């Protein structure tokens, strides 16, 4: 049936390659939250979200204490219904990043299950018609970098051509 029979969450601290700062924060480590959902059909879907150094353990607690228990026994094919069940279990904290980050990790795990079941990539399951789409990079927007480094970083990350060829 695709029922969630087991739901687990864990956190992995990832040290950053380059410490970054902006006007209000420092990115010293990435607290990456993982969610694994196992179904009665033998599939395991994985999702994740992250914080940039603070709040990860609070999100982990939200997942373990409220969101995942509300999901166990739910049909994993009903993503909106699963989201509604988790939302209802945490209504008092819904307006805020801790709950939203937890919901995001679970949502990705549910979509991963849908893709595994369909044996298709997410872009196709979500109705897309292209394997690649334009993207932007927020990695380079930290204040310790000068303008030249920001521009050079943008072009290193896969933009076609170079600043000179535009």
């Amino acid at each position: 049936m695709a029922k969630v029979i087991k739901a687990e969450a864990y956190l992995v601290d990832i040290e950053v390659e380059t410490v970054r700062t902006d006007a209000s924060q420092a990115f010293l480590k990435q607290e990456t939250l993982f969610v694994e959902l196992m179904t009665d059909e033998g599939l395991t879907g994985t999702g994740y979200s992250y914080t940039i150094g603070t709040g990860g353990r609070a999100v982990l607690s939200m997942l373990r204490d409220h969101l995942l228990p509300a999901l166990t026994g739910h049909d994993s094919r009903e993503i909106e219904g699963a989201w509604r069940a988790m939302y209802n279990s945490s209504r008092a904290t819904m307006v805020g990043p801790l709950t939203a980050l937890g919901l995001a990790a679970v949502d990705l795990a549910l979509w991963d299950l849908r893709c595994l079941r369909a044996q298709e990539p997410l872009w196709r399951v979500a109705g897309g018609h292209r394997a690649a789409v334009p993207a932007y990079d927020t990695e380079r927007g930290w204040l310790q970098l000068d303008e030249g480094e920001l521009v050079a970083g943008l072009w290193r990350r896969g933009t076609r051509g170079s600043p000179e060829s535009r």
Side-chain angles (χ1 to χ4, degrees):
M1 174 186 187
K3 277 189 181 179
V4 176
I5 58 171
K6 189 174 183 181
E8 296 179 340
Y10 57 95
L11 181 128
V12 176
D13 286 336
I14 300 172
E15 298 302 319
V16 296
E17 188 175 307
T18 304
V19 172
R20 287 156 278 177
T21 59
D22 68 14
S24 63
Q25 62 191 343
F27 189 175
L28 306 175
K29 68 178 177 176
Q30 178 176 303
E31 295 179 318
T32 307
L33 297 134
F34 289 93
V35 168
E36 292 183 349
L37 304 178
M38 284 116 319
T39 68
D40 60 2
E41 61 194 336
L43 295 176
T44 300
T46 304
Y48 78 98
S49 65
Y50 67 92
T51 71
I52 61 169
T54 59
R57 282 156 183 73
V59 178
L60 183 62
S61 179
M62 175 62 76
L63 280 161
R64 288 178 172 169
D65 295 344
H66 301 286
L67 301 178
L68 296 182
L71 191 60
T72 304
H74 192 85
D75 187 336
S76 66
R77 296 171 298 181
E78 298 173 0
I79 294 174
E80 184 177 346
W83 190 93
R84 188 69 49 201
M86 291 182 294
Y87 172 81
N88 289 339
S89 78
S90 61
R91 191 176 300 266
T93 61
M94 189 51 221
V95 181
L98 298 180
T99 303
L101 287 166
L103 286 170
V106 175
D107 195 53
L108 285 172
L110 290 166
W111 277 97
D112 189 35
L113 284 169
R114 181 171 283 178
C115 293
L116 290 169
R117 204 173 287 113
Q119 297 182 357
E120 293 282 357
L122 178 60
W123 67 269
R124 191 178 309 272
V125 171
H129 67 281
R130 299 183 278 185
V133 295
Y136 67 95
D137 179 10
T138 60
E139 178 67 17
R140 306 295 298 174
W142 296 88
L143 295 179
Q144 80 276 4
L145 303 172
D146 65 34
E147 184 178 346
E149 290 174 299
L150 290 170
V151 171
L154 173 67
W155 294 106
R156 271 196 309 275
R157 291 193 181 269
T159 302
R160 291 189 189 128
S162 67
E164 296 78 29
S165 68
R166 298 279 174 187

